[in-house]
Amino acid sequence: MAPRIVAIEERTRPIASAIRNAYIDFSQMTTSLVAVVTDVVRDGRRVVGYGFNSNGRYGQGGLIRERFAPRLLNADPAALLDASGENLDPDRCWAAMMANERPGGHGERSVAVGTLDMAIWDAVAKIAGKPLFRLLAERHGREPDPRVFVYAAGGYYYPGKDNTALRAEMRSYLDRGYTVVKMKIGGAPLAEDRARIEAVLAELDGKARLAVDANGRFDLETAIAYAKALNDYPLFWYEEPGDPLDFHLQATLAQFHPGPMATGENLFSHQDARNLLRYGAMRPDRDWLQFDCALSYGLCEYQRTLAVLTECGWSWRRCIPHGGHQMSLMIAAGLGLGGNESYPDLFQPYGGFPDGVRVEDGYVTLPDLPGIGFEGKSDLYAEMRALAE
Amino acid sequence: MAPRIVAIEERTRPIASAIRNAYIDFSQMTTSLVAVVTDVVRDGRRVVGYGFNSNGRYGQGGLIRERFAPRLLNADPAALLDASGENLDPDRCWAAMMANERPGGHGERSVAVGTLDMAIWDAVAKIAGKPLFRLLAERHGREPDPRVFVYAAGGYYYPGKDNTALRAEMRSYLDRGYTVVKMKIGGAPLAEDRARIEAVLAELDGKARLAVDANGRFDLETAIAYAKALNDYPLFWYEEPGDPLDFHLQATLAQFHPGPMATGENLFSHQDARNLLRYGAMRPDRDWLQFDCALSYGLCEYQRTLAVLTECGWSWRRCIPHGGHQMSLMIAAGLGLGGNESYPDLFQPYGGFPDGVRVEDGYVTLPDLPGIGFEGKSDLYAEMRALAE
């Protein structure tokens, strides 16, 4: 029987936290949780695809309800099917959602579409009866690798936080099996950030690497000052020094910072990603790209971004997406990305891994669950089931 | 008495039309109409600022209600005032709206904020008892010029339209006083577009100039093919040949098309505008910039974009904004832009001029009405008054 999308549900949920980075505080942060309900039954249950957007850009219930869900629901169901007629075609669903959308302006709607796209891919893999990472690897003629590098992101500026607490936080990531940890910079003067970095490096004691993240806060002079100062430390990367669209700033930093840099979490289309590669002087032998499909029109668009990487001579291994969600774990395992972000203590229940998955020596090994595998994470699945089942 | 914002209203309205351009059809198009209600009384009436977004990017009721209006309403009223304490400060209002918004991702929210920003500037000028163009000129130490160049945009691909109808449409713009008219290209094969262009040029018979607009549809090869073909005609400009973020495509065209080009209506921040000037090889002696404040975080951000122009060596005269709304007329008159778009037969009642204003020899002369002057356009003001008075 040809599958049909019979309903789309959305709820905007708080993912508030007392943290702040150099740019925003997260006390009002929300996410959209969506369910794409099909008329397909697998293992005695109706197939429902689930999705949500990752932290930082707010839920998108308005756009989903006003434009993107109605276009899917009003489309000719046959136009959403793949060539076999036995599954949905994510690219055709994507095209239906983006009908009558103008080019350019890649923000907000990129989150709305990314959230729905996640749910569609989840449904497609469930209908196929496979983990999404295996389905993706098949489609690209690749060998999947369920073992994925993950790093622990944290080190925010908590209210009243001092370096003792920061060290303890980083120690706890080590204790949980991570080999790379990340902390925020740029929310304090450079001298204070230096002391924080040195405290963390002392705590890590060579047992893990440290990445630092400025969240796009610096102007050119500050970014250069940090770039030079950070040369004193053996960092895993120096992340998002300046405005995400200031490619000239990024390019200038390569002259001051021979160590690895990372950026891209605030670029939401393959066109914006292409501009970073064209104009940002990012170095394919050491730098990292952090585009997050959940904020960027989803996996359909992410595959176009990966095609841009290939065109520009970049390995997909240089991608370690922002966001800490299972969708990017699937893509990493299926398409050979370099790994994925993880927030061990934040944004629950949306972030993290299926129950029972442990970080060992900096890697997780994904279980074989149909779809994206949300059903294997009980706290998250409880939220999802309440939405649509 | 220190002014306060006491309420913000939003309604999403259809601005549907049977037209299509090369990229989208407009049958489902909407706009957000907003009212920023103050507690100030002028001439016996409560001051209400009005705004709306221009065509092409849809209404933004969800974002306005969920994020941007609440931030304004929840802000400390004193934090929204200018130094005198007797008027609102648009930049402070803007900062309040954009609190806890991350950098990058300039779409949709840029429309929501642009719409509210328009209403805030309308209120500020009404509280000051001046036309906005005079208030703006004062703030920038310039001489205002209420006489503004406008051109007639149309020439869409109507269903069943042939060149007779297209010629008649263009003739009607001539008859209404326009000296530059614009038609769409790229929605038909090049040979057919050539015939359309030649038909229109014959109709214009040297009495007006013709601009053509591809609405970002072309890939590089098609854009080049059109660039070369269009060299045969004395065009006013060749607009938005490729994807608005494909600055490399735009830069390449300069090698094939010595005539004027225009773009920018789908770039929604000063960072995106700066990238066009940095990477697009646009020529400050002949090309045109079409950034539209109503889609791009409003006049507060537009002033930052103008500062980028100055930094890059561009005259503000090279700006002829997209959108056909009175807000850009105000900016053109107050800050010396090159003119404004006009859609004589479309998007009513939102586009156009105050009642009684006529296009003469390609120019309109703005009357001295407080604020943006919406109250002088009776069909538009009827919609606005129904929202908030």
Side-chain angles (χ1 to χ4, degrees):
Chain A
M1 190 190 73
R4 274 186 78 143
I5 296 172
V6 296
I8 297 174
E9 305 292 338
E10 188 275 346
R11 295 291 182 284
T12 299
R13 305 282 198 195
I15 48 169
S17 169
I19 57 175
R20 69 176 176 94
N21 65 30
Y23 218 98
I24 69 169
D25 84 56
F26 282 76
S27 62
Q28 307 295 318
M29 189 52 62
T30 58
T31 187
S32 280
L33 180 63
V34 302
V36 170
V37 183
T38 75
D39 61 357
V40 179
V41 174
R42 288 285 180 274
D43 301 327
R45 297 176 67 88
R46 167 168 286 198
V47 170
V48 180
Y50 294 104
F52 53 86
N53 56 274
S54 31
N55 68 83
R57 309 297 307 205
Y58 299 99
Q60 295 295 341
L63 296 185
I64 288 170
R65 271 186 290 279
E66 287 178 10
R67 278 149 57 193
F68 300 104
R71 289 194 193 127
L72 270 180
L73 292 167
N74 296 335
D76 173 6
L80 304 181
L81 299 178
D82 67 13
S84 76
E86 290 172 5
N87 206 334
L88 296 167
D89 182 321
D91 288 306
R92 288 180 165 196
C93 293
W94 198 93
M97 286 193 281
M98 288 296 286
N100 290 320
E101 292 289 319
R102 282 195 160 191
H106 303 301
E108 311 290 342
R109 77 176 177 191
S110 63
V111 179
V113 172
T115 303
L116 290 166
D117 171 279
M118 189 189 293
I120 290 164
W121 280 99
D122 186 37
V124 164
K126 284 170 176 167
I127 291 170
K130 295 174 186 172
L132 177 57
F133 74 90
R134 295 199 184 278
L135 181 111
L136 267 180
E138 274 172 30
R139 289 185 175 210
H140 284 259
R142 302 178 61 98
E143 193 61 35
D145 183 356
R147 192 162 171 270
V148 176
F149 166 74
V150 291
Y151 74 93
Y156 289 78
Y157 293 89
Y158 288 78
K161 198 178 189 187
D162 67 9
N163 291 344
T164 312
L166 179 64
R167 289 177 70 139
E169 179 192 338
M170 294 296 161
R171 159 66 48 190
S172 83
Y173 299 146
L174 278 189
D175 293 345
R176 280 179 271 182
Y178 290 95
T179 57
V180 174
V181 299
K182 187 169 86 179
M183 60 183 280
K184 301 298 179 183
I185 58 170
L190 175 52
E192 195 178 314
D193 274 339
R194 265 191 184 275
R196 294 171 70 247
I197 289 168
E198 287 166 16
V200 170
L201 286 172
E203 186 67 36
L204 298 179
D205 191 26
K207 297 185 193 71
R209 307 277 311 273
L210 175 63
V212 298
D213 181 4
N215 285 100
R217 187 196 176 85
F218 297 150
D219 62 16
L220 180 60
E221 284 187 276
T222 311
I224 291 173
Y226 268 82
K228 292 164 76 173
L230 295 175
N231 285 332
D232 294 345
Y233 311 109
L235 296 178
F236 193 72
W237 69 49
Y238 171 24
E239 177 174 338
E240 210 182 26
D243 185 279
L245 292 164
D246 193 345
F247 307 123
H248 180 74
L249 181 153
Q250 181 62 44
T252 302
L253 291 185
Q255 301 170 42
F256 294 94
H257 193 73
M261 290 189 279
T263 193
E265 74 180 49
N266 287 305
L267 299 175
F268 301 136
S269 68
H270 80 272
Q271 291 94 342
D272 287 291
R274 189 171 60 190
N275 284 338
L276 174 65
L277 297 189
R278 283 179 175 170
Y279 306 121
M282 299 284 283
R283 299 151 303 184
D285 66 345
R286 78 197 77 171
D287 290 332
W288 300 95
L289 304 172
Q290 303 174 298
F291 318 120
D292 176 355
C293 69
L295 302 177
S296 312
Y297 298 109
L299 174 54
C300 291
E301 179 77 2
Y302 195 79
Q303 291 176 96
R304 287 187 281 272
T305 297
L306 291 175
V308 165
L309 261 68
T310 300
E311 191 182 302
C312 295
W314 281 69
S315 163
W316 297 358
R317 283 271 171 222
R318 304 313 301 174
C319 293
I320 300 184
H322 165 271
H325 47 75
Q326 288 167 263
M327 182 68 171
S328 285
L329 286 176
M330 290 290 122
I331 303 173
L335 300 183
L337 308 187
N340 196 27
E341 187 167 18
S342 166
Y343 308 93
D345 297 326
L346 292 170
F347 311 124
Q348 289 306 318
Y350 298 96
F353 317 114
D355 302 335
V357 171
R358 295 278 163 270
V359 182
E360 292 180 82
D361 206 20
Y363 284 76
V364 290
T365 301
L366 305 183
D368 264 12
L369 296 165
I372 298 173
F374 296 131
E375 286 75 3
K377 188 168 190 297
S378 53
D379 56 354
L380 176 56
Y381 185 52
E383 295 265 333
M384 289 173 161
R385 197 168 34 195
L387 181 64
E389 286 175 62
Chain B
M1 190 190 73
R4 275 186 78 144
I5 296 172
V6 296
I8 297 174
E9 306 291 337
E10 187 275 346
R11 295 290 182 285
T12 299
R13 305 282 198 194
I15 48 168
S17 169
I19 56 175
R20 70 176 175 92
N21 65 30
Y23 217 98
I24 69 169
D25 84 55
F26 282 76
S27 63
Q28 307 295 318
M29 189 52 62
T30 58
T31 187
S32 280
L33 179 63
V34 301
V36 170
V37 183
T38 75
D39 61 357
V40 179
V41 174
R42 287 285 179 275
D43 301 327
R45 297 176 68 89
R46 166 167 287 197
V47 171
V48 180
Y50 294 104
F52 53 86
N53 56 274
S54 32
N55 68 83
R57 309 297 307 204
Y58 298 99
Q60 295 295 340
L63 296 185
I64 288 171
R65 271 186 290 279
E66 287 178 11
R67 279 149 56 193
F68 300 104
R71 289 194 193 126
L72 270 180
L73 292 167
N74 295 336
D76 173 6
L80 304 181
L81 299 179
D82 67 13
S84 76
E86 290 172 5
N87 206 333
L88 296 167
D89 182 322
D91 288 306
R92 289 179 165 197
C93 293
W94 198 93
M97 287 193 281
M98 288 296 286
N100 290 320
E101 292 289 319
R102 282 195 159 190
H106 302 302
E108 311 290 342
R109 77 175 177 191
S110 63
V111 179
V113 172
T115 303
L116 289 167
D117 171 279
M118 189 189 293
I120 290 163
W121 280 99
D122 186 37
V124 164
K126 284 170 176 167
I127 291 170
K130 294 174 186 172
L132 177 57
F133 75 91
R134 296 200 184 276
L135 181 112
L136 267 180
E138 273 172 30
R139 290 187 175 210
H140 285 259
R142 302 178 61 99
E143 194 60 37
D145 182 357
R147 192 162 172 270
V148 176
F149 166 73
V150 291
Y151 73 93
Y156 289 78
Y157 294 89
Y158 288 78
K161 198 179 188 187
D162 67 10
N163 291 344
T164 312
L166 179 63
R167 290 177 70 140
E169 179 192 338
M170 295 295 161
R171 160 64 48 189
S172 83
Y173 299 146
L174 278 189
D175 293 345
R176 280 178 272 181
Y178 289 96
T179 57
V180 175
V181 300
K182 187 168 86 179
M183 60 183 279
K184 301 299 180 183
I185 58 170
L190 175 53
E192 195 178 314
D193 274 339
R194 265 191 184 276
R196 293 171 70 247
I197 290 167
E198 287 167 15
V200 170
L201 286 172
E203 186 68 36
L204 298 179
D205 191 26
K207 297 185 194 71
R209 307 276 312 271
L210 174 64
V212 298
D213 181 4
N215 285 100
R217 186 197 177 86
F218 297 150
D219 62 16
L220 180 60
E221 283 187 276
T222 312
I224 291 173
Y226 268 81
K228 292 164 76 173
L230 295 175
N231 285 333
D232 295 344
Y233 311 109
L235 296 178
F236 193 71
W237 69 50
Y238 171 24
E239 177 174 337
E240 210 183 24
D243 185 279
L245 292 164
D246 193 346
F247 307 123
H248 179 74
L249 180 154
Q250 181 62 44
T252 302
L253 291 185
Q255 301 170 40
F256 295 94
H257 193 73
M261 290 189 279
T263 193
E265 74 180 49
N266 288 305
L267 299 175
F268 301 136
S269 68
H270 80 272
Q271 291 94 341
D272 287 291
R274 189 172 59 189
N275 284 337
L276 174 65
L277 298 189
R278 282 180 175 171
Y279 306 121
M282 299 284 283
R283 299 152 302 184
D285 66 345
R286 77 196 78 170
D287 290 331
W288 300 95
L289 304 171
Q290 303 175 299
F291 318 120
D292 176 356
C293 69
L295 303 177
S296 312
Y297 298 108
L299 174 54
C300 291
E301 179 76 2
Y302 195 78
Q303 290 176 97
R304 287 187 281 272
T305 297
L306 291 175
V308 165
L309 261 69
T310 300
E311 191 182 302
C312 295
W314 281 69
S315 163
W316 297 358
R317 283 271 171 222
R318 305 313 302 173
C319 293
I320 300 184
H322 165 270
H325 46 76
Q326 287 167 262
M327 181 68 171
S328 285
L329 286 176
M330 290 290 123
I331 303 173
L335 300 183
L337 307 187
N340 196 27
E341 187 167 19
S342 166
Y343 308 94
D345 297 326
L346 292 170
F347 310 124
Q348 290 306 318
Y350 298 96
F353 317 113
D355 302 335
V357 171
R358 295 280 163 268
V359 182
E360 292 180 82
D361 206 20
Y363 285 76
V364 290
T365 300
L366 305 183
D368 264 12
L369 296 165
I372 298 172
F374 296 131
E375 286 75 2
K377 188 168 190 297
S378 53
D379 55 355
L380 175 56
Y381 185 52
E383 295 265 333
M384 289 173 161
R385 197 168 35 195
L387 180 64
E389 286 175 61

